[in-house]
Every structure is written in structure tokens, then in C-alpha cells.
Amino acid sequence: MLFSSTTFLFFFLPIVLILYYTVCRKSRMLQNVFLFFASLLFYAWGEPIFVLVMLLSIFMNYVFGLAINKYKYKKSTAKVFLFITAVFNLGILFIFKYLAFVIENINNLSGADFYVPQIALPLGISFFTFQAMSYVIDVYRGEQVQKNPLNVGLYIAFFPQLIAGPIVRYETVAYQIQCRKETFDDFSSGVCRFIIGLSKKVLLANTLAIVADSAFNSDDGNISVAFSWLGAIAYTLQIFFDFSGYSDMAIGLGRMFGFKFLENFDYPYISSSITEFWRRWHISLGTWFRDYVYFPLGGSRVKHKSRLILNLFIVWMLTGIWHGANWTFILWGFMYFVLLTFEKLTNLHKSGKLVWLRHIYTLLFVILGWVLFRADNVTEAFSYIAAMFGGTGTLIDNEALFLLKENIVYFVFAIIISTPLLKSLYYKHFQGKKVVSVLVVVVLMVLFLVSVTYLVKGAYNPFIYFNF
């Protein structure tokens, strides 16, 4: 079930909210149980069989948490259970997400003819698997174990962040699961945040997706320089508003139920280095890899640069692989490894000089990286990039001009909103003024109605991160 669907907006969400604040208001445990089963229903709506996979993940990680807590003063035994936890969780992820890819590559390299299983990918498996691992690792590190399996289930399965994040760390919500407090201010701010996210997804991401798809689905041998750049920029904006919009909706939904999730995006396209970009983009994933992989390996506080390079290589290969079973994602991760290693070794990201030039360099590689991300295979990615730099010999074509003319307003709004310009203007000149507050409410209501109109009309409504 998509957040940006009429089923969710007018049936699932209103019913869950009404029951949560009326029938289930009597006790926190009743509310948690209700949210857990509502989350299972949300997940089962589109993928009923895969609920069993998630339930298995919840049960096993609950057991692993108890086992590690039992032997917390016997570190050697606790480490064994931690190792088993990693093998179990990554094993499930490998089977569903990477097994077919590995067998295909073994067949291609060796000439063998092993059977390649066609395994459907459970929605959100990368996200809820990392959350489950976060819980057990945090228990190993000293966080209080959760004795109630339903609370562990709620943490892993809670529907706002279940299928697309943000990846919520157990330590950030452990207290909220049992002691959160719902307020009218939080609820209203959650509704506003949800509408903003819905508008970003439906009005901007979905519209820009049409331009991006037109470019990436065209014949790379004939696409013009202008059209290839238009498509790449459209996809750069689409993936930002698609994913950050979904994160906004998740954060807003969490607040409606009294949960406060950490931010997942912080205007990444204003970055003046690749290092800064990854502090601002998909913050929860970057934080997860930093705290559970990079720091345990030694991070940047190592004696030899060779070890620093190895640590970065491991993290970014895993980041690329996490996003998908395709060589394009591995190459995408490797590209960021090279760029981040260069910045670490030269301290370029700490320089205060030529900020505008570093901003151009950052955006250039981010856009090229999204081409890798979007392409079906490496050959198509390089062919598309070649077209961007004049490989086809054609500078501009009528289709590029038509699509730019038809969507120029969306491009302008998307570029402005991807910066903190409007936010800064609001806080500097308009915050606290009653007229402006009323106007904001009116604008949000209009955005919601227009978004719903698009959905009712059956407008194009993909979601990129469902693939991961």
C-alpha cells in the first residue's frame, strides 16, 4: 500500500487514527498492539505471503536480543549470538535480493548453467532488516533489552517507516514505544509534514518522472546532448522529491501517533563536497553504516592511510550492494568510494576556498551517479553518459524542447524547493504572523486537494525506493 494512494489516504489511515485515539486510548499496551497489527495489515495489503518473512525476522531478532542480554557479562558468548544474528539477517537479505544475481554472474564467468531462481523481492526488506539488526546490536552495546515481543514487532514493523525508511535506530525510539506522549501540536505538525511530503511526491516527483523516463527509455544512440542532460536533471530531482517526500510522510505519520523520527534529508543538493552531500542525503542509512560498519572498523582514526582507504572501500561497496543486485549499483558505490577517498586524503571537503566551483563539481558527480543509479545496466549507463557529453553529435532536438516547455514550471519549483531559500525567507520575515499562518494552512489544503486530484485521475505514481 502506497502512502500516495486513495486507499491509504481515505480508508486505512483515517480508520487507524480513529481507533487509535478512541477504542485504544485506554492503555499504551493496547495502542501498541493495535499499531503492530495495523502495520501487519498495511504490509500484507500488497504482499500477504511476505508478512511471514517479516514475522520470522521479528521473532528471531527478539530471541537474539534476549540471548545477548542473558550473556551480556560473558562477552565471548554474546559475540557468538551477535555473529549468528548477522548471519541470519544478512542470509535472508542475500536469498531474496542477491542469490539470483550471484548465480547469474557465476554462470556468465564460468560458462556453467546453474538454475537461476526467480525470487520476488519483499517490499522494504533492506529497511526492516537493518532496523532489526540495529535492535540486536544496540542490546549488545548496552541498551535495555525489550522483554515484550510485541514491542519489538512494533519497532520493526511500524508502518510509517516500514517499507522506505527512514531507518530508525532502536535507541532513538525505545523510550517512545512505551512512554511517548501524543499532543495536538505534534499531531497537527505531523499532518502538515505529511501533506508537504505527499505534494513533493505526487506533484513534483511523479511529474519529473515522466521526463526522466522519456529520456532514459529513448535510444541512447540518437538522444541529443540537451535531452540527455534534461533527463538526468529530471531524475536527479525526481529521486530527491520521491524519497524525501516519502520520508516527510513517514516522519509526519510518526508524529500523528506520538513518535518523533530523526530527519532523513537536509537539502543535499546545496552541498559543496561529496562528503557534505552524504551528510545530507539519506541520513539514516549513512548513520547506520557509520555506526555499525565504519566506526567498528576503525573509521578515520587509524594509523595508516591504507587502512582508512580499506575502511571506506568496505563501507561504500556495501552501500552500493545494499541498493540493489546490479553492477550499476556496485559501480555507483565504487565511484563514491573514489571521490570520498580523494576528499579525505586531500581535505578538500574542509576547504573554504572556491565554494562555487566545489559545488559544481559535487553536483556534476551526483548527477552522473544518478545516471548509473537509473540505468538498467552498465553499458546503458556509459552510453547515456557519453550522450551527455556529445557522443551522439546532436546538440538539441524537438522532444527536449517540448518536454522542457511543458514542464518548465515544475523544474523551477523543484530547483527552488530543493534549496532552503523558502524556509529561510519564512523564518526570517514571516514566522509568527497570523496572516501568514492562515495562508500556510490554506496553501497546504490546496496542495492536498490538488495532490488527491492527481491520484484520483490515476496519474503516473511510481516509487523508486520500493526497488530496494
Side-chain angles (χ1 to χ4, degrees):
M1 192 187 305
L2 286 167
F3 292 161
S4 53
S5 68
T6 53
T7 302
F8 179 82
L9 292 173
F10 297 110
F11 293 96
F12 181 84
L13 182 58
I15 291 171
V16 170
L17 283 170
I18 290 169
L19 292 177
Y20 180 83
Y21 280 105
T22 56
V23 177
C24 301
R25 189 69 176 172
K26 297 176 182 178
S27 74
R28 179 64 68 204
M29 177 169 286
L30 183 59
Q31 287 181 322
N32 286 348
V33 171
F34 171 71
L35 286 180
F36 173 66
F37 284 103
S39 297
L40 294 183
L41 175 62
F42 173 85
Y43 192 78
W45 191 270
E47 307 224 349
I49 190 65
F50 290 133
V51 169
L52 300 177
V53 177
M54 188 172 64
L55 287 173
L56 176 64
S57 176
I58 290 169
F59 174 75
M60 292 304 297
N61 283 285
Y62 166 72
V63 172
F64 292 144
L66 291 178
I68 287 175
N69 183 70
K70 181 179 179 180
Y71 294 101
K72 60 184 176 182
Y73 298 115
K74 193 176 181 181
K75 283 297 181 182
S76 58
T77 305
K79 283 183 180 179
V80 171
F81 280 110
L82 187 63
F83 176 76
I84 296 172
T85 299
V87 170
F88 170 80
N89 285 288
L90 297 178
I92 288 181
L93 200 56
F94 175 81
I95 290 170
F96 282 101
K97 197 168 183 177
Y98 306 106
L99 180 60
F101 173 72
V102 170
I103 295 175
E104 284 177 1
N105 281 276
I106 290 174
N107 288 343
N108 292 336
L109 292 172
S110 66
D113 190 26
F114 295 117
Y115 171 70
V116 180
Q118 300 300 311
I119 303 174
L121 183 66
L123 288 178
I125 189 170
S126 298
F127 290 93
F128 72 70
T129 298
F130 268 29
Q131 286 206 180
M133 291 179 67
S134 166
Y135 164 68
V136 179
I137 295 171
D138 284 353
V139 171
Y140 175 80
R141 291 178 172 179
E143 285 291 327
Q144 185 174 358
V145 71
Q146 182 56 255
K147 299 291 180 67
N148 187 337
L150 283 171
N151 287 346
V152 176
L154 176 60
Y155 161 68
I156 295 173
F158 190 32
F159 73 87
Q161 40 74 45
L162 172 60
I163 52 180
I167 301 172
V168 178
R169 295 273 297 276
Y170 175 66
E171 64 177 16
T172 65
V173 296
Y175 179 80
Q176 297 178 49
I177 288 175
Q178 294 177 307
C179 303
R180 64 185 178 278
K181 183 179 180 181
E182 302 92 346
T183 66
F184 178 78
D185 286 344
D186 279 341
F187 186 89
S188 58
S189 68
V191 172
C192 294
R193 187 67 179 270
F194 180 88
I195 293 174
I196 290 171
L198 180 69
S199 304
K200 288 163 69 174
K201 170 74 183 81
V202 175
L203 303 182
L204 292 177
N206 290 358
T207 303
L208 294 166
I210 297 173
V211 180
D213 289 352
S214 297
F216 280 92
N217 293 336
S218 65
D219 182 359
D220 294 335
N222 296 319
I223 188 173
S224 68
V225 173
F227 195 16
S228 60
W229 274 99
L230 184 68
I233 293 170
Y235 185 73
T236 296
L237 295 168
Q238 177 202 351
I239 194 170
F240 171 64
F241 287 109
D242 192 85
F243 193 20
S244 69
Y246 219 91
S247 291
D248 286 339
M249 287 188 276
I251 292 169
L253 287 168
R255 287 187 182 175
M256 292 183 206
F257 295 100
F259 288 88
K260 294 182 179 179
F261 301 146
L262 299 179
E263 295 296 331
N264 208 24
F265 289 88
D266 183 22
Y267 301 103
Y269 292 154
I270 68 170
S271 302
S272 58
S273 69
I274 299 298
T275 302
E276 183 184 358
F277 174 79
W278 278 103
R279 289 197 190 111
R280 294 174 176 272
W281 178 275
H282 201 171
I283 298 169
S284 62
L285 179 66
T287 302
W288 199 98
F289 274 112
R290 182 197 69 192
D291 292 348
Y292 296 126
V293 180
Y294 187 61
F295 284 171
L297 288 172
S300 57
R301 296 185 177 182
V302 290
K303 294 181 179 179
H304 304 289
K305 291 182 178 179
S306 58
R307 180 61 197 225
L308 169 63
I309 294 171
L310 176 62
N311 293 347
L312 289 169
F313 177 79
I314 292 172
V315 168
W316 285 98
M317 286 300 96
L318 291 176
T319 302
I321 292 169
W322 180 88
H323 279 88
N326 194 317
W327 284 105
T328 55
F329 296 117
I330 295 173
L331 188 59
W332 176 82
F334 183 76
M335 182 196 79
Y336 277 111
F337 153 70
V338 172
L339 293 171
L340 288 163
T341 299
F342 169 72
E343 291 187 0
K344 284 281 187 183
L345 296 180
T346 61
N347 284 323
L348 178 68
H349 59 294
K350 296 180 180 179
S351 173
K353 300 178 181 178
L354 298 175
V355 175
W356 63 271
L357 185 60
R358 291 193 292 112
H359 182 66
I360 294 172
Y361 133 82
T362 301
L363 276 181
L364 173 63
F365 280 108
V366 167
I367 291 171
L368 295 178
W370 290 140
V371 172
L372 275 172
F373 208 83
R374 173 61 175 78
D376 292 330
N377 54 64
V378 174
T379 302
E380 288 187 10
F382 284 138
S383 178
Y384 193 96
I385 291 172
M388 292 172 68
F389 293 95
T392 63
T394 305
L395 183 61
I396 195 167
D397 58 30
N398 290 331
E399 189 171 5
L401 290 172
F402 173 77
L403 286 171
L404 179 60
K405 182 180 178 181
E406 288 291 305
N407 297 282
I408 186 66
V409 173
Y410 293 99
F411 275 97
V412 171
F413 269 101
I415 291 170
I416 292 173
I417 296 170
S418 65
T419 73
L421 177 62
L422 294 180
K423 185 178 180 179
S424 298
L425 287 173
Y426 172 77
Y427 283 115
K428 189 174 182 180
H429 299 291
F430 304 110
Q431 187 182 21
K433 296 183 179 180
K434 291 184 179 181
V435 175
V436 175
S437 299
V438 173
L439 181 61
V440 168
V441 172
V442 172
V443 169
L444 288 173
M445 290 175 64
V446 171
L447 287 174
F448 179 75
L449 291 174
V450 174
S451 298
V452 169
T453 302
Y454 270 63
L455 295 175
V456 171
K457 286 169 57 180
Y460 186 48
N461 192 29
F463 178 58
I464 294 171
Y465 267 75
F466 275 177
N467 298 322
F468 314 126

